[in-house]
Amino acid sequence: MDKKEHWENVFATKTEKEVSWYQEYPQTSVDFFKTLQLPLDSEIIDVGGGDSYFIDALLALGYTNLTLLDISGNAIARIKKRLGDKAKFVTFIESDILDFNPAKKYLFWHDRACFHFLTETVQIEKYADIVDKALDKGGRIFIGAFSTEGPKKCSGLDIKQYSMESLRFVFEKEFQLEGCFIENHKTPFDTVQNFIFCGFERKKITKEPTLK
């Protein structure tokens, strides 16, 4: 079973509360996002959005230029149904993140629990290149992945664990690390998954002094 088949099967056979990443409300992501005080017309993308309620929270805050990317058409169909009329404020992209070719520039890139499924160096480097292409000047990243104390598998798939330094290393060419923190996520099955969350800002371009 390839990646797409795997995730189509997950979202076809499991309810939102039968997957470990379920959150009734994405408090951590929303709290970080609010600190940025981005304009309401900002272009925002949620990568691997699946059944996440992050898009719902952004809509409730008044944001309307939203994009949700997920590899699973079943996941997208589910969130469209849940959003109802509000889905018109969201651009839905059915794609493997590694096949994503951004058609616009975003100011905020959100990824909770998608990135850590990329386990090969070439995949991780390609992801970083896509983020670079997708984010505008002043662009920000908020990314959540399993920490070095977290699970080694999720949904039956291998994942890559991260520390602050290893996450910083992935994005350091174009982005400045703003900070990281560790958090335990309680799953619907009463187990605990240890996450690391890090925020990044695009580095400002400094002009070389001109010689006179």
Side-chain angles (χ1 to χ4, degrees):
M1 186 180 293
D2 68 15
K3 280 193 297 183
K4 182 167 177 59
E5 286 179 307
H6 174 85
W7 292 113
E8 293 293 12
N9 182 62
V10 167
F11 286 104
T13 60
K14 295 181 182 291
T15 67
E16 61 178 16
K17 294 184 180 179
E18 292 178 321
V19 292
S20 63
W21 54 86
Y22 170 74
Q23 289 179 306
E24 185 174 353
Y25 186 78
Q27 193 69 56
T28 300
S29 295
V30 173
D31 286 348
F32 177 86
F33 179 80
K34 283 182 175 179
T35 66
L36 304 180
Q37 297 183 315
L38 299 181
L40 291 178
D41 61 354
S42 299
E43 294 283 358
I44 298 163
I45 184 167
D46 185 19
V47 173
D51 272 341
S52 168
Y53 280 75
F54 185 60
I55 288 288
D56 308 59
L58 294 182
L59 288 167
L61 291 171
Y63 291 86
T64 54
N65 290 330
L66 307 177
T67 297
L68 183 145
L69 180 146
D70 201 280
I71 194 172
S72 169
N74 288 329
I76 289 173
R78 273 164 50 159
I79 193 169
K80 280 183 176 180
K81 182 177 179 180
R82 188 179 78 218
L83 291 176
D85 289 343
K86 292 181 180 179
K88 66 185 178 184
F89 298 115
V90 183
T91 298
F92 296 93
I93 300 174
E94 182 181 335
S95 174
D96 185 320
I97 182 56
L98 298 180
D99 296 327
F100 179 43
N101 185 21
K104 63 172 73 173
K105 292 286 188 180
Y106 300 93
L107 199 57
F108 186 71
W109 177 288
H110 177 263
D111 180 336
R112 174 187 175 269
C114 174
F115 176 63
H116 61 207
F117 284 104
L118 306 178
T119 58
E120 299 174 13
T121 300
V122 65
Q123 296 174 328
I124 295 165
E125 290 175 348
K126 186 171 183 181
Y127 181 100
D129 286 342
I130 292 169
V131 175
D132 180 32
K133 291 176 184 175
L135 280 179
D136 209 344
K137 291 183 294 184
R140 311 292 275 269
I141 307 168
F142 188 60
I143 193 161
F146 287 153
S147 78
T148 53
E149 302 300 318
K152 295 181 179 179
K153 282 181 174 286
C154 184
S155 188
L157 300 178
D158 291 333
I159 62 90
K160 183 174 176 62
Q161 297 173 320
Y162 282 93
S163 64
M164 179 180 73
E165 282 304 308
S166 58
L167 263 177
R168 180 190 61 79
F169 178 76
V170 172
F171 300 103
E172 66 178 355
K173 182 178 177 182
E174 301 294 343
F175 296 90
Q176 179 73 37
L177 178 66
E178 295 184 290
C180 292
F181 59 90
I182 299 293
E183 183 174 279
N184 281 327
H185 164 63
K186 187 176 181 181
T187 74
F189 324 120
D190 288 328
T191 58
V192 172
Q193 296 175 333
N194 194 252
F195 272 80
I196 183 167
F197 289 92
C198 290
F200 296 84
E201 182 178 12
R202 182 178 285 286
K203 292 179 178 178
K204 295 177 174 61
I205 299 173
T206 55
K207 293 183 178 180
E208 294 292 331
T210 55
L211 297 176
K212 295 184 179 179

